[in-house]
Amino acid sequence: MSSKKFAVIGHPIGHTMSPFIHKRLFELSGIDARYGVFDIPPENLEREYETTLKKLDGFNITIPHKQNIIPLIDEIDEKAKMYGSVNTVAIHNGTAKGYTTDPDGFLKALESAGIAIGGRVVILGCGGVARTMAYEVALKKIPVLFAIRQEDREIAVKLCHEIKSALPDSKAEYCLIPQLSGDIDLLINATPIGMFPKTESQPVDDKVIAKCASVFDAVYNPLETQLIKKAKANGSNAVGGMSMLVWQAVVAHEKWDNSKYDVRDIEKICIDASKELENR
């Protein structure tokens, strides 16, 4: 039997961690597969889909193709439809179905770290990553508070309105980061603050971190940001973004071939992927 064929597409896509992570996952599941990287400019997406992508067993999608791939594929999962975004396509018997695995990757990262979504949840930032996480919190009927910069106020207003319109029972509000105070059950950093090479930066001050029971940082390089280190030093339950990156890849494999993985194996991949980043 020939190897199965998978890939990741995007533009530009020179520094993706996808091949490293997916190769390890295929090794764990014992599936003979090859995983490629295709840099596809937006104007070439439709042609490449017809000539190359639809002949694969599946593929991952990153910026800027997460929306533009939707009209080309045969079906779309309900959650992907809700988000209006597809980052994984599974092709079975010639039918291409699109999914978004980022939300489930986020939930599984929290679950594997023993972090529950509940109480007072604060999300730092109001961009695309924040939107994904906010919807997952709101779907659990838990209020969301975005802590933002002054210049992002208009974006935050629109996002709060969008969430409340899509989920009428939800509660979504915002405040400026300097106004943030009080106890926080779960703090989520959905900004790039603390990312390599500016690893000494942190999105909120120490007083805020000290009030957090649990912390999730979407930044995955480094493995432990200043935010995560300080949260752990305070005794908080904290996990970084590499866990989400790997878990969303795990969910892709569930869609491709129903593979199941041990939590300890995934934790090992997170550590190894971080070392790989450092080596690069």
Side-chain angles (χ1 to χ4, degrees):
M1 185 182 292
S2 61
S3 297
K4 289 190 174 183
K5 296 175 183 177
F6 299 87
V8 59
I9 68 169
H11 180 74
I13 198 169
H15 301 291
T16 176
M17 286 297 295
S18 291
F20 179 89
I21 294 169
H22 287 286
K23 182 173 181 289
R24 289 287 299 273
L25 291 172
F26 282 125
E27 288 171 354
L28 283 172
S29 61
I31 292 173
D32 182 14
R34 288 185 289 168
Y35 191 95
V37 177
F38 298 149
D39 190 323
I40 302 175
E43 63 271 18
N44 295 345
L45 179 61
E46 185 172 355
R47 185 186 69 204
E48 290 295 332
Y49 177 74
E50 292 297 329
T51 59
T52 305
L53 300 177
K54 68 190 301 185
K55 297 175 183 176
L56 301 174
D57 294 285
F59 55 96
N60 299 117
I61 303 122
T62 187
I63 295 170
H65 302 311
K66 290 185 177 184
Q67 286 78 41
N68 294 335
I69 196 69
I70 294 173
L72 304 180
I73 57 181
D74 302 303
E75 299 175 18
I76 181 171
D77 169 77
E78 284 302 313
K79 182 166 277 193
K81 193 177 294 182
M82 183 185 79
Y83 279 103
S85 175
V86 165
N87 76 339
T88 296
V89 171
I91 301 174
H92 297 297
N93 300 318
T95 299
K97 185 171 182 177
Y99 303 87
T100 179
T101 68
D102 287 330
D104 289 334
F106 166 62
L107 296 176
K108 285 176 177 284
L110 292 180
E111 181 185 345
S112 66
I115 297 175
I117 298 178
R120 187 176 184 228
V121 178
V122 175
I123 300 178
L124 304 174
C126 55
V129 175
R131 177 178 179 268
T132 296
M133 295 168 176
Y135 264 92
E136 292 307 309
V137 174
L139 284 166
K140 295 181 180 295
K141 303 188 185 304
I142 295 164
V144 180
L145 175 63
F146 296 100
I148 62 160
R149 303 174 302 174
Q150 174 66 40
E151 56 264 41
D152 293 330
R153 187 189 290 267
E154 188 175 332
I155 298 170
V157 169
K158 288 180 180 177
L159 182 54
C160 288
H161 178 73
E162 178 194 327
I163 291 169
K164 286 185 279 191
S165 296
L167 305 169
D169 294 334
S170 65
K171 186 177 180 181
E173 299 176 329
Y174 73 91
C175 72
L176 299 181
I177 290 175
Q179 298 171 341
L180 195 56
S181 63
D183 292 340
I184 298 171
D185 293 287
L186 174 58
L187 179 73
I188 299 168
N189 179 33
T191 78
I193 297 172
M195 183 184 293
F196 179 86
K198 298 180 180 179
T199 56
E200 296 305 309
S201 301
Q202 59 188 57
V204 289
D205 63 34
D206 292 356
K207 290 180 182 178
V208 172
I209 300 172
K211 293 279 191 175
C212 299
S214 299
V215 173
F216 175 82
D217 195 339
V219 172
Y220 61 82
N221 183 17
L223 185 65
E224 288 195 348
T225 59
Q226 283 289 100
L227 175 60
I228 294 297
K229 288 177 181 176
K230 289 186 175 180
K232 285 185 174 180
N234 292 334
S236 303
N237 198 355
V239 64
M242 183 60 79
S243 182
M244 178 177 169
L245 187 67
V246 175
W247 276 110
Q248 63 84 22
V250 168
V251 178
H253 282 248
E254 292 175 356
K255 306 303 183 187
W256 289 337
D257 46 48
N258 295 312
S259 295
K260 302 298 178 186
Y261 300 90
D262 186 277
V263 172
R264 288 166 297 185
D265 289 330
I266 301 307
E267 289 172 351
K268 179 71 163 59
I269 293 177
C270 290
I271 293 169
D272 291 347
S274 180
K275 290 177 180 176
E276 175 71 11
L277 267 176
E278 287 177 11
N279 291 335
R280 292 183 183 185

